[in-house]
Amino acid sequence: SAVISQKPSRDICQRGTSLTIQCQVDSQVTMMFWYRQQPGQSLTLIATANQGSEATYESGFVIDKFPISRPNLTFSTLTVSNMSPEDSSIYLCSAQGGSGANVLTFGAGSRLTVL
Amino acid sequence: GQQLNQSPQSMFIQEGEDVSMNCTSSSIFNTWLWYKQDPGEGPVLLIALYKAGELTSNGRLTAQFGITRKDSFLNISASIPSDVGIYFCAGQRVGGSQGNLIFGKGTKLSVKP
């Protein structure tokens, strides 16, 4: 299955600033996804990163807050804009694995703490 | 929104014990997945299940896709210290978009003091 690298692995951010998380996959993948894991919680899908078109956002997530880029089939970025302490979470990049369309492989995550 | 009920929320294990956890849903799923997450890491896939009644093993781990397609369980036999971590069930809802997995809230395995 694909190997996914994310950076930064963690960061401490000031309220009101924005941070861009990068995700690199070691092979070409059709679909990439961004998930959020709030402290002690489960994972929630933010959006699907589509190559060549705008990202598809889930209910409760908007492009102005979480702009996403997908310039090619191996790379995507997620920006967390105008951060507040409520945005303190682990942000996880994922891609479909090789064993099935619904099987996702995840990166190690980017742990953001907003002060 | 759609939720998965995963239980237990946490449990303590002693080396050698068998462990069981399960997930239930109010909706029908066409895929059930079990992941393990260690601190500072992303979830790692343990077992994938694709059809009702399917029973699949991966070493000491066994998982089943419920006949009703609304539930799944994961068993760990003869637990060892490295089994400690958080286990998540996840499912692909029938009619849901690809990659939109619904996750349970996790079962945290700790070593019994």
Side-chain angles (χ1 to χ4, degrees), chain A:
Chain A
S1 57
V3 176
I4 300 176
S5 303
Q6 279 184 242
K7 59 180 180 181
S9 58
R10 59 177 62 230
D11 207 339
I12 298 174
C13 309
Q14 296 299 317
R15 181 195 296 261
T17 63
S18 300
L19 183 80
T20 296
I21 302 166
Q22 298 180 9
C23 178
Q24 180 75 53
V25 187
D26 69 342
S27 58
Q28 292 187 340
V29 292
T30 304
M31 305 184 81
M32 294 179 70
F33 308 92
W34 287 97
Y35 277 78
R36 181 175 73 180
Q37 185 176 25
Q38 293 176 302
Q41 300 297 315
S42 186
L43 283 76
T44 301
L45 179 65
I46 297 172
T48 301
N50 303 307
Q51 197 268 328
S53 63
E54 240 179 45
T56 306
Y57 289 84
E58 298 301 310
S59 175
F61 298 97
V62 295
I63 187 171
D64 289 346
K65 178 66 176 178
F66 298 103
I68 287 171
S69 79
R70 180 85 195 274
N72 56 53
L73 292 176
T74 64
F75 187 78
S76 178
T77 67
L78 169 76
T79 299
V80 186
S81 302
N82 188 25
M83 287 185 283
S84 66
E86 292 72 35
D87 294 319
S88 297
S89 291
I90 301 172
Y91 293 86
L92 294 144
C93 175
S94 66
Q96 287 176 313
S99 55
N102 293 324
V103 175
L104 297 186
T105 299
F106 288 87
S110 299
R111 180 184 293 269
L112 302 188
T113 302
V114 185
L115 303 179

Side-chain angles (χ1 to χ4, degrees), chain B residues 39-98:
Chain B
E41 300 294 328
V44 174
L45 181 70
L46 300 173
I47 292 179
L49 303 159
Y50 299 104
K51 57 184 181 180
E54 180 179 354
L55 182 72
T56 297
S57 293
N58 178 7
R60 294 178 295 106
L61 277 60
T62 302
Q64 185 159 33
F65 192 141
I67 290 291
T68 65
R69 300 172 71 186
K70 293 183 178 182
D71 62 304
S72 177
F73 72 73
L74 174 71
N75 289 342
I76 305 173
S77 63
S79 59
I80 59 178
S82 62
D83 289 334
V84 163
I86 302 177
Y87 292 77
F88 290 99
C89 63
Q92 171 75 51
R93 189 171 46 86
V94 172
S97 55
Q98 279 193 22

